[in-house]
Amino acid sequence: MTFPTSFEWVGLNTFAPATQKKLLELLRRLKEKNVNKLTILVMGKCGVGKSSTVNSIIGERASEGLGPVMVSCSVSGFTLNIIDTPGLVNGGHINDQALEIIKHSLLNKTIDILLYVDRLDTYRMDKLDELVMGAITDRFGKEIWNMALIVLTHAQFSPQDGLPYDEFVLQKSEALLKALRQGARLKEEDDTMASSIPFVLVENSGRCNKNEKGEEVLPNGTAWTPNLLQTITEVAMRAYKSIYVDKNLIEQPDCNQRGKILILFVFALECLFVIKPIKEAIKNDIARELVLASMHIYIFALK
C-alpha cells in the first residue's frame, strides 16, 4: 500500500461554504464523542467509481494507484484516512489475489467504516454481486457490515420507462440488500444489520445542478456531498466495535479455502472408509470367482 503522510485538508476549501460549515459541525460532533480519527475502507467491483468518490470526499484528486492507496488529511485536530482499493472482479470472477493484497496491506490498521460502492445506473443484479459481498464477508467477517454504508454512484440519472427516480432508487437498494443477505449468508437474526445499512447517492462527474447554497443536487433535490458526509458521521457514531486487522485475521483462511479443505477431508474419509473397503471387496470377489472358475475347469478335466 502507498502510505502518504497526513496533509492539511486543503480540498475542504473546494466545497461550497454551506458544505464546509456542515463538515466542520460534523467533525465537532465526532470529537465530542472522542473520535479524533476515522479510517474508511472503500471496496467494490471495477469501474463503479471508488476512486472518484474518494476524490469527491476530500475535495481534490489524490487517489491513484493500481494497488491499495491510503489518502490521509487533517483539519482542526481531526484526521481522516481513506483506503482506496482495486476492483474485486477480474474476468467475470472474484479477484482472490486482489483481496489477499488488500487484506495484507491493512495489517495493524483499524477499520471504522466500510464504503461499499456500486452504480445506480445499472439495471441488472447478478450472481457476481453476491459473490463480491460474500468474498468481503469471508475475509473480514459479517461484522464489517455493521459499519457499512452503500454508495450508489452515477446518480445524476433518469430511469427508463418513466419510472420515478425515488422508486428506482428503492428498487436498486432492495436488490443490493437481497444480494448482501445471500452473498454474506446473513441469517434471520442478522436482518437488522442488513436493513440498517444506509444508502447514499453520489454523482462525481460535476454534471449536477446546484441549489441556492451552491451545492450540487441530485434529481430528487438532495445535496449529495453534505448528505454523504453526514451519513459517514452517523455510521461512525454507532456503538459498534471497529475491526482491527491483526495477524490472526490476515492468516485465517477464508470460507472458500476452508470449504476446499473440508472437501479434501471428506474425500480422504471416503477413500479410507468407503472406497478402500469397496476395492477390497471387489478384489476378494474377483479372487473367489477365479477360484471357482479354476475348480470348474479342474472338475471338467477330470471328466
Side-chain angles (χ1 to χ4, degrees), residues 105-171:
S105 71
L106 296 174
L107 179 62
N108 297 328
K109 289 184 174 52
T110 299
I111 306 303
D112 302 304
I113 292 177
L114 169 67
L115 232 66
Y116 183 83
V117 184
D118 202 348
R119 294 179 64 136
L120 176 65
D121 61 344
T122 53
Y123 283 84
R124 190 172 65 90
M125 303 289 295
D126 55 31
K127 188 69 176 178
L128 192 57
D129 296 285
E130 296 179 19
L131 294 177
V132 170
M133 292 173 167
I136 293 173
T137 307
D138 291 341
R139 267 67 176 192
F140 299 99
K142 67 181 180 181
E143 292 77 14
I144 197 167
W145 298 106
N146 280 324
M147 57 191 69
L149 63 149
I150 297 178
V151 171
L152 296 176
T153 62
H154 297 262
Q156 183 64 27
F157 160 77
S158 298
Q160 296 178 359
D161 303 324
L163 188 67
Y165 184 85
D166 288 338
E167 185 175 339
F168 181 83
V169 171
L170 178 61
Q171 291 180 6

Side-chain angles (χ1 to χ4, degrees), residues 284-299:
N284 292 335
D285 286 344
I286 293 174
R288 210 163 30 244
E289 291 295 330
L290 289 174
V291 170
L292 291 173
S294 298
M295 291 177 63
H296 288 151
I297 293 173
Y298 177 73
I299 294 171

Side-chain angles (χ1 to χ4, degrees), residues 8 16 18 27 33 50 56 68 77 87 92 130 150 222 249 276 284 303:
E8 192 68 20
L27 296 182
K33 297 290 185 179
K50 297 186 298 297
S56 293
E130 296 179 19
I150 297 178
T222 301
L249 179 61
K276 186 175 180 180
N284 292 335
K303 291 180 178 180

Side-chain angles (χ1 to χ4, degrees), residues 216-233:
E216 294 185 340
V217 294
L218 299 172
N220 62 358
T222 301
W224 70 265
T225 302
N227 184 52
L228 172 61
L229 297 172
Q230 178 168 338
T231 307
I232 290 174
T233 303

